[in-house]
Amino acid sequence: MADTVDLFVIGGGSGGVRAARVAAEAGARVALAEEYRMGGTCVIRGCVPKKLMVYAADFSAAYQDAVGFGWDPVTPRFHWDRLIAAKDREIARLEGLYRKGLETAGVRIHDARAVLDGPNAVRLSSGERITARHILIATGGRPFKPDIPGAELAITSDDVFHLPGQPRRVVIQGGGYIACEFACIFNGLGSDVTLVHRRDELLRGFDRDLRAHLAAGMAARGIALCLRRNITAIARAGDALAVHLDDGGVLDADCVMMATGRVPNTAGLGLAEAGVVLAGNGAVEVDAYSHSSVPSIHAVGDVTDRLALTPVAIREGQALAETLFGPAPVRPDHALVATAVFTRPEIGTVGLTEDEAREEYDAVVYRAEFRPMLATLSGREERMLMKLVVDAASRRVLGCHIAGPAAAEMIQLAAVALKMGATKEDFDRTVAVHPTAAEELVTMRRPSG
Ligand code: NDP
């Protein structure tokens, strides 16, 4: 007799794991299939290992800054293999915790690939067929590489965490989160980095002051920004690589990384055959409750191409499980989601950019740019940027944008205020914490425009 569950989750990443656990805790019979490692992109080859590498990269600046505070200069040596081994141990530990959390909740784990076999069944690579009242597609995304000659010679963010050694010269293509973050990581670790991006500015969609500030900060750290350029071909040149650009230029590199976006992982899952409507890029089309066009099939996380961020996938997974097995339907809230880019300078942002706000509102902008205190004695040429975008009529703060040390930590708390509908006067009434950079957020008195 065929095995039957209430919920079968395909994909053991952030969204799938949360949905499975919450559903099981609500009493549902739940099974989850993961073909690779439990934890998905975030834990295995994304946010977590990336942040560990950001920490590693930051020590080079700390060693230099220490001299201004009375420490002897040292010439530290970085060992790539030690970092990778330590990072791998931590990732294995986290993977174990994810697995244990599922098992404790009573979720049956299948270490196998699952594909749909109609709207109410999955077939596992082990040959097993399982029927399910509901199926959740939480298969995430994968890196996309432009189709150019020699593209196979370039790595993506999937490979960067396991390079056998630290590349001396790195060329990165793209101007988004991953390109900018890894440009800063490799730069901090001591590699020569060139970032090739097809536009004038990095981080499309972010506030324009943040974009300018980031580019200036990255350039000041020695990252070569090759803007308005595209890579047309990559070829082997002895032990190295020759990177051909569309202006005829050629860059020498030991490693080329394509960070040119990600695409939803839906190929070969049997979705179209089961009647699920997919968008042009393969994303599962879902409604506000994460239901697909087939009543028994749902999708959360990057595979839906809404907001490709881990905490958003977790919220979507939680909401779906509550909708299916809780007392009332729950819609995940995609408004005012704060996000951070772990570049150097770091970026934290929530709400409307200045340009977006001006389209909809009579917007006033408050802006502070200053030298962070650490940079005074260290002598580092470093500026910090903070910006509040305010609706002149209601005085509500519509957007908060920060570039500089600890921007990611600050923006989380600013997001609480924005989510509560804080006005500029609410910020002003809040007494500063001194001496911090964050105090500038509550002491910007005069609009800058
Ligand atoms: P992004 O979509 O952020 O950036 C992709 C970049 O590649 C853009 O600059 C884009 O340029 C460029 N690009 C796309 N196609 C081509 C092409 N054919 N030729 C040349 N350039 C191209 O994707 P990422 O891969 O950086 O990251 C994927 C997603 O993962 C992010 O959007 C984010 O949601 C998530 N993420 C979040 C992180 C965080 O929270 N800190 C960290 C890393 C990833 P253009 O701007 O012109 O389109």
Side-chain angles (χ1 to χ4, degrees):
M1 201 182 89
D3 200 356
T4 297
V5 294
D6 296 313
L7 176 67
F8 195 98
V9 179
I10 307 182
S14 304
V17 167
R18 174 57 67 96
R21 262 188 36 214
V22 174
E25 282 161 6
R29 288 167 303 163
V30 184
L32 179 147
E34 168 56 55
E35 63 182 332
Y36 184 53
R37 295 177 64 182
M38 203 60 77
T41 299
C42 170
V43 176
I44 305 297
R45 50 183 126 65
C47 323
V48 176
K50 178 276 307 285
K51 187 79 186 283
L52 294 173
M53 292 179 84
V54 168
Y55 283 128
D58 275 350
F59 285 105
S60 58
Y63 278 117
Q64 291 163 10
D65 291 347
V67 178
F69 289 84
W71 292 87
D72 281 337
V74 287
T75 312
R77 278 186 57 205
F78 170 69
H79 300 267
W80 175 267
D81 52 335
R82 291 188 203 164
L83 171 65
I84 297 301
K87 179 265 298 172
D88 285 345
R89 283 194 295 277
E90 174 59 9
I91 299 308
R93 187 185 73 84
L94 291 174
E95 184 184 3
L97 288 180
Y98 264 69
R99 189 172 280 276
K100 192 153 183 277
L102 286 170
E103 286 166 355
T104 307
V107 176
R108 181 147 44 94
I109 298 172
H110 297 274
D111 292 302
R113 179 171 170 79
V115 296
L116 292 181
D117 192 2
N120 284 101
V122 297
R123 194 169 286 285
L124 301 178
S125 45
S126 58
E128 206 177 334
R129 184 175 189 274
I130 298 171
T131 55
R133 218 152 49 89
H134 296 281
I135 296 172
L136 173 60
I137 310 298
T139 47
R142 64 192 147 77
F144 152 81
K145 273 189 198 178
D147 185 17
I148 55 161
E152 71 285 357
L153 298 173
I155 64 161
T156 67
S157 57
D158 278 0
D159 316 301
V160 71
F161 300 108
H162 289 105
L163 287 178
Q166 182 185 354
R168 193 167 57 82
R169 296 160 304 174
V170 184
V171 172
I172 300 179
Q173 177 165 34
Y177 282 82
I178 297 178
C180 294
E181 289 183 340
F182 274 94
C184 295
I185 289 170
F186 278 118
N187 169 259
L189 295 177
S191 301
D192 287 337
V193 180
T194 304
L195 186 136
V196 179
H197 180 40
R198 62 185 177 184
R199 291 183 193 266
D200 285 336
E201 288 195 273
L202 308 169
L203 291 184
R204 182 161 57 86
F206 283 65
D207 186 87
R208 61 172 128 116
D209 281 336
L210 287 185
R211 301 174 74 183
H213 193 91
L214 176 64
M218 286 171 64
R221 283 166 171 77
I223 296 171
L225 296 180
C226 200
L227 301 175
R228 294 176 298 280
R229 293 281 173 274
N230 238 333
I231 298 179
T232 51
I234 306 167
R236 283 194 196 284
D239 287 344
L241 298 170
V243 184
H244 296 267
L245 303 181
D246 54 1
D247 64 347
V250 181
L251 302 169
D252 299 325
D254 302 305
C255 172
V256 180
M257 178 171 171
M258 299 261 192
T260 40
R262 293 172 60 84
V263 289
N265 248 338
T266 48
L269 282 178
L271 285 160
E273 296 80 346
V276 175
V277 174
L278 301 177
N281 66 353
V284 179
E285 290 204 348
V286 287
D287 66 12
Y289 294 92
S290 304
H291 302 319
S292 82
S293 56
V294 173
S296 57
I297 300 178
H298 322 278
V300 297
D302 291 5
V303 77
T304 64
D305 196 25
R306 286 178 277 183
L307 266 176
L309 297 170
T310 294
V312 173
I314 291 172
R315 285 295 172 97
E316 290 169 357
Q318 169 103 26
L320 180 81
E322 289 175 3
T323 297
L324 296 181
F325 304 107
V330 180
R331 288 164 76 122
D333 179 2
H334 293 102
L336 286 172
V337 173
T339 179
V341 192
F342 293 94
T343 40
R344 294 295 174 256
E346 191 164 281
I347 303 282
T349 183
V350 61
L352 298 183
T353 66
E354 178 178 345
D355 292 344
E356 286 167 345
R358 288 199 190 285
E359 272 175 29
E360 253 185 272
Y361 300 86
D362 176 15
V364 203
V365 171
Y366 296 79
R367 208 172 165 285
E369 203 180 334
F370 56 95
R371 197 172 189 200
M373 203 168 175
L374 179 75
T376 55
L377 295 200
S378 75
R380 184 175 291 280
E381 273 310 316
E382 171 96 56
R383 308 288 292 167
M384 179 134 200
L385 174 75
M386 294 195 175
K387 183 167 171 181
L388 292 177
V389 181
V390 176
D391 171 22
S394 67
R395 300 293 294 158
R396 199 155 56 86
V397 180
L398 304 170
C400 176
H401 310 285
I402 305 174
E409 303 292 343
M410 282 182 236
I411 207 66
Q412 178 69 84
L413 301 179
V416 177
L418 265 68
K419 201 78 188 158
M420 293 175 75
T423 61
K424 177 67 170 63
E425 283 61 38
D426 291 324
F427 274 68
D428 295 347
R429 278 192 296 112
T430 307
V431 175
V433 178
H434 185 71
T436 63
E439 68 184 299
E440 294 290 331
L441 285 174
V442 298
T443 52
M444 289 189 248
R445 294 287 173 243
R446 270 186 296 280
S448 64

